[in-house]
Amino acid sequence: MGRLAALLWFLAREARPSVGPPCVVDSEIGIRTLDWSVSMSERSYWPLKKYQDTYDRSLADPEGFWADEARKLEWFRTWDRVLEWAPPFARWFVGGQLNASYLCVDRHVRSWRKSKVAIYWEGEPGDSRVLSYSTLYREVNRYASVLKRLGIGKGDAVALYLPMIPELPIFMLACARIGAVHTVVFSGFSAQALADRMNDVKAKLLVTADGGYRRGRVLELKAIADEAMGLAASAERSIVVRRVGSDIPMRQGRDFFLHDLLARADLRVEPEPLEATHPLYILYTSGTTGKPKGIVHSTGGYLVFNCSTYRWVFDIRDDSVYWCTADVGWVTGHSSIVYAPLMHGASLVMYEGAPDYPRLDRWWDIVEKYGVTVLYTSPTAIRMFMGHGEQWPALHDLSSLELLGSVGEPINPEAWRWYYEHIGGERCPIVDTWWQTETGGFMISPAPGIQPLPLKPGSAGLPLPGVDPVVVDDEGNEVPRGEKGLLAIRRPWPGMLIGIHNNPERYRKAYWERLPGLYYTGDYAIRDEEGYFWLLGRADEVLKVAGHRLGTLELENAAVSHPAVAEAAAVARSDPVKGETIVLFAILGEGHGPSEQLKDELRAHMRRVVGAIATPEGIYFVTKLPKTSSGKIMRRVLAAVAAGADVGDVSTLEDEASVEEVRRAYEQLKKAV
Ligand code: WT7
């Protein structure tokens, strides 16, 4: 931007009329809505375009619409066809070539952004690092050289098992630069969970660290990584990042310290022109079977979708300081910490540790320290802070905040209001973004960049352009407005998963066979009279613990792998902070009796097998599990017992047992527990 333009822009910003708190009105469904249209259209990137026009065009001419969006990126070669749709497989921008690392770093170092801050990194112990775009560029190049020198090339899988340190995004971009496919495994997962993922992708290399900090303690990642290497035959080598400086065993010829490899690395590695359909990454998420699914995302469609949705939803600008509090190990971290913000040349904040360490104001201290303008977090975190009181955020100046976001689970209106008042100072709209690992990016969300409409606390709002959701009954017929049903998507979108790794049949079955011709999300929803979507939680056998996804079968497999457990069933219990917690019903095998000690052992076992997020909160030892005549566990009955509630209304969509059967099973189980 020229100096004059910058000055004019600054004056225009300063001169904009100050707006009072958005007005509060009552909507038809009895929840208050907030009208922030005045304030937001003022600061919008795309102020004149009305949401409805854009949305209508996106559905009337999806290929033209997405081609226009795709042109906002830089391509090495333009696509031949925007979409090849051979249901249920979609290929976007076929024939096009691009590179994610080029878009995230090279493009910026050729502009004034080269000296702009890319990453403000805050370590848990209080250390910090600031990386400019040119530093990021240099590091991504050097890391790419390290990978190449270890024999990693296009199409090879690399597992990244790292704490929240800058090396994690750098490795992701370095993989993307040479066309290697990264699989990030959340650093809270166990050795077994890591090895399962490494085996499934046939990872050639594992990148880990000597440790990471969490609530003042050191996570011993290298020990876990070593165990996983022993269980994963494909991984020949490992790279170890020094983070905590502890003394760790290194196996000669297999393990290499990153700093040693960097000392011999080249300074430049050309970004590989990759086909739009080349996989950018594989990320595992839980489903209804015991085995997590390797969700594969493409390079072209995924990046186009994220670049656009991010602009619409977070209205990102060059003076934004953007902080997504998720871990990079989840899709939120992939899209909303790494790829979308960096494509936009934003300055992002990345924090290593726990939100309450050393004190409950750690996050608010970070917001103040870096002048965060956009904060994106989960309802669980908000409810946790709400429980501790507004005196903690009140210790800090949070006036830099302009926009707030929520993701991962439904946000209850009470938490929404607390977030709005005590964090956003009643100034900032909240974007409640509904999406999934599989969708790659935001699907349903308020979008200040194009959609200055009233917000309804607890609703994710309207679909984004190009996204065609519908609420249907069990047969796939659309239900009337205001009625609960299953959320489905009617047509492919560019960020849609390109498949489940090595398992096209499972992909077809999990997403495209449940409802004819529709993408099945696994969520319940209601669409209200004004078209707003209200998300009502999962309709399948998937739990959401603190926003993290866990399959009941995955948990049950982990439980029965304990020698004392013969059979087990896991259900969710609703929790005021975490949304849901795990309750396990277990039948013990011959020679094992129930005891408190066994419960503790079982908890420790689940942590070891899956990870800390799989720790059951409640454990009940029972002698029988309620089952339908076809042998399916009656989860509703178990959930009612776990909640200490009556079975209540049993006529819901997922019921496969008769009312009488359910009641009988419930009474029996109540007596036994
Ligand atoms: C499931 C996807 C996508 C980022 C993190 C989670 C639930 C996600 C919302 C929201 C209500 C939400 C759904 C969805 N979910 N965002 N704003 N309101 N529910 O990714 O682990 O793939 O989980 O999270 O149940 O299906 P994920």
Side-chain angles (χ1 to χ4, degrees):
M1 203 184 314
R3 249 200 227 161
L4 183 64
L7 180 69
L8 286 175
W9 174 81
F10 176 76
L11 289 175
R13 236 173 96 76
E14 290 306 295
R16 74 174 172 222
S18 67
V19 286
C23 72
V24 177
V25 292
D26 280 314
S27 80
E28 280 173 18
I29 22 188
I31 294 182
R32 300 199 292 178
T33 64
L34 296 166
D35 186 357
W36 41 271
S37 47
V38 194
S39 52
M40 287 319 291
S41 57
E42 198 91 42
R43 65 182 293 281
S44 165
Y45 243 33
W46 197 1
L48 300 175
K49 203 83 183 140
K50 284 278 168 279
Y51 165 76
Q52 201 59 47
D53 293 351
T54 313
Y55 187 72
D56 291 348
R57 180 187 170 221
S58 76
L59 296 196
D61 174 22
E63 296 194 15
F65 177 81
W66 286 117
D68 286 349
E69 291 303 310
R71 278 186 207 103
K72 295 172 187 169
L73 270 49
E74 265 180 60
W75 295 74
F76 297 135
R77 183 182 188 281
T78 309
W79 53 91
D80 302 316
R81 282 171 308 284
V82 176
L83 172 64
E84 273 179 12
W85 178 222
F89 297 95
R91 287 155 54 85
W92 287 88
F93 309 109
V94 182
Q97 289 184 350
L98 74 175
N99 184 286
S101 100
Y102 177 87
L103 291 170
C104 290
V105 289
D106 300 47
R107 207 162 44 138
H108 305 308
V109 297
R110 295 182 181 178
S111 76
W112 65 271
R113 288 200 191 96
K114 62 179 178 292
S115 51
K116 183 180 172 174
V117 172
I119 302 177
Y120 290 108
W121 177 80
E122 174 89 2
E124 194 189 70
D127 48 343
S128 58
R129 283 162 68 184
V130 178
L131 283 78
S132 66
Y133 271 96
S134 51
T135 308
L136 187 62
Y137 171 77
R138 191 183 64 225
E139 297 301 288
V140 169
N141 274 276
R142 294 171 73 216
Y143 284 41
S145 160
V146 163
L147 292 173
K148 280 181 89 166
R149 283 167 176 254
L150 285 183
I152 303 297
K154 186 175 169 186
D156 289 335
V158 176
L160 304 176
Y161 186 66
L162 286 166
M164 285 283 285
I165 52 179
E167 286 81 356
L168 177 49
I170 296 170
F171 265 114
M172 291 162 77
L173 294 168
C175 287
R177 195 168 191 84
I178 61 172
V181 181
H182 60 71
T183 292
V184 181
V185 180
F186 171 56
S187 59
F189 275 125
S190 67
Q192 185 64 55
L194 171 58
D196 288 347
R197 287 156 174 77
M198 288 169 65
N199 281 324
D200 197 65
V201 288
K202 303 217 169 26
K204 276 178 84 173
L205 171 74
L206 172 66
V207 182
T208 189
D210 59 353
Y213 293 102
R214 188 77 190 177
R215 212 163 268 124
R217 290 204 351 249
V218 170
L219 287 174
E220 306 280 353
L221 293 179
K222 178 66 164 75
I224 302 173
D226 279 343
E227 202 185 325
M229 288 288 279
L231 298 167
S234 58
E236 297 146 9
R237 302 229 163 85
S238 89
I239 299 181
V240 182
V241 179
R242 265 232 179 277
R243 165 61 184 131
V244 297
S246 59
D247 209 8
I248 46 160
M250 296 286 283
R251 188 185 294 178
Q252 206 76 93
R254 186 194 75 174
D255 303 342
F256 302 89
F257 275 117
L258 175 65
H259 55 259
D260 291 335
L261 299 173
L262 283 173
R264 298 187 296 273
D266 299 323
L267 280 178
R268 289 276 178 281
V269 171
E270 283 307 306
E272 187 89 24
L274 299 168
E275 309 80 65
T277 51
H278 182 75
L280 177 59
Y281 65 80
I282 298 175
L283 184 62
Y284 284 81
T285 190
S286 297
T288 51
T289 74
K291 221 173 138 249
K293 306 179 269 200
I295 304 300
V296 190
H297 279 295
S298 70
T299 303
Y302 173 83
L303 293 174
V304 169
F305 190 65
N306 269 292
C307 193
S308 300
T309 52
Y310 205 82
R311 187 179 333 103
W312 300 331
V313 170
F314 283 121
D315 194 21
I316 208 77
R317 297 182 309 179
D318 260 318
D319 59 348
S320 300
V321 177
Y322 170 81
W323 183 20
C324 166
T325 66
D327 193 287
V328 172
W330 312 111
V331 75
T332 319
H334 283 59
S335 298
S336 305
I337 298 179
V338 183
Y339 290 110
L342 294 177
M343 265 192 292
H344 279 277
S347 297
L348 64 92
V349 173
M350 185 174 171
Y351 170 54
E352 176 184 39
D356 54 355
Y357 189 84
R359 287 200 329 186
L360 274 157
D361 61 341
R362 184 64 190 271
W363 277 19
W364 319 124
D365 185 51
I366 293 173
V367 168
E368 182 173 16
K369 178 172 174 186
Y370 298 107
V372 172
T373 62
V374 180
L375 176 69
Y376 188 34
T377 191
S378 70
T380 291
I382 298 160
R383 288 188 294 255
M384 189 272 282
F385 286 120
M386 191 169 113
H388 290 290
E390 52 262 26
Q391 67 275 20
W392 294 101
L395 290 173
H396 296 276
D397 177 3
L398 305 181
S399 62
S400 59
L401 289 171
E402 294 179 354
L403 192 56
L404 303 174
S406 168
V407 66
E409 41 178 331
I411 180 164
N412 48 313
E414 199 194 350
W416 196 105
R417 291 222 65 93
W418 191 87
Y419 195 25
Y420 181 74
E421 281 167 30
H422 299 291
I423 307 304
E426 302 190 10
R427 290 183 320 277
C428 312
I430 298 176
V431 294
D432 177 2
T433 59
W434 179 85
W435 56 301
Q436 309 179 299
T437 305
E438 294 87 341
T439 73
F442 314 142
M443 300 288 278
I444 305 176
S445 172
I450 46 165
Q451 183 199 1
L453 297 172
L455 294 173
K456 299 184 189 186
S459 164
L462 301 177
L464 293 174
V467 176
D468 190 8
V470 61
V471 179
V472 299
D473 63 19
D474 237 7
E475 269 81 57
N477 306 307
E478 188 164 1
V479 301
R481 293 275 169 110
E483 260 176 44
K484 178 179 171 178
L486 299 166
L487 180 67
I489 317 288
R490 265 190 289 232
R491 60 173 88 201
W493 61 98
M496 186 173 101
L497 72 164
I498 54 174
I500 292 178
H501 182 61
N502 264 344
N503 209 336
E505 258 329 290
R506 189 170 176 197
Y507 164 73
R508 188 190 297 275
K509 263 179 107 164
Y511 306 108
W512 298 96
E513 270 177 9
R514 177 82 165 67
L515 303 166
L518 299 170
Y519 169 88
Y520 173 67
T521 66
D523 276 25
Y524 284 124
I526 289 178
R527 189 163 205 192
D528 73 17
E529 292 297 338
E530 288 166 295
Y532 283 55
F533 284 86
W534 299 77
L535 279 307
L536 305 172
R538 298 291 302 194
D540 55 2
E541 282 156 17
V542 164
L543 269 62
K544 273 280 172 167
V545 181
H548 302 316
R549 200 159 144 183
L550 289 160
T552 51
L553 206 61
E554 197 183 342
L555 296 167
E556 288 157 10
N557 287 348
V560 297
S561 72
H562 187 282
V565 180
E567 206 184 332
V571 294
R573 170 155 66 200
S574 81
D575 181 89
V577 175
K578 293 181 178 171
E580 291 184 338
T581 56
I582 303 162
V583 173
L584 192 76
F585 290 84
I587 299 176
L588 295 178
E590 283 283 313
H592 297 277
S595 69
E596 283 309 309
Q597 192 201 337
L598 184 56
K599 284 189 186 174
D600 291 343
E601 244 180 61
L602 195 50
R603 282 198 183 90
H605 176 76
M606 304 272 293
R607 290 171 79 96
R608 219 168 24 246
V609 177
V610 186
I613 56 170
T615 315
E617 201 199 50
I619 297 180
Y620 296 109
F621 294 125
V622 293
T623 50
K624 232 178 112 192
L625 289 170
K627 289 191 185 149
T628 61
S629 45
S630 62
K632 267 196 96 176
I633 294 175
M634 291 190 239
R635 294 181 184 280
R636 269 187 61 74
V637 174
L638 295 172
V641 173
D646 202 343
V647 273
D649 172 26
V650 284
S651 57
T652 58
L653 280 160
E654 85 267 45
D655 262 299
E656 62 288 295
S658 75
V659 177
E660 222 5 78
E661 257 183 311
V662 169
R663 289 218 181 283
R664 216 174 318 117
Y666 177 74
E667 293 310 325
Q668 274 171 7
L669 197 65
K670 277 294 259 200
K671 267 181 249 146
V673 167

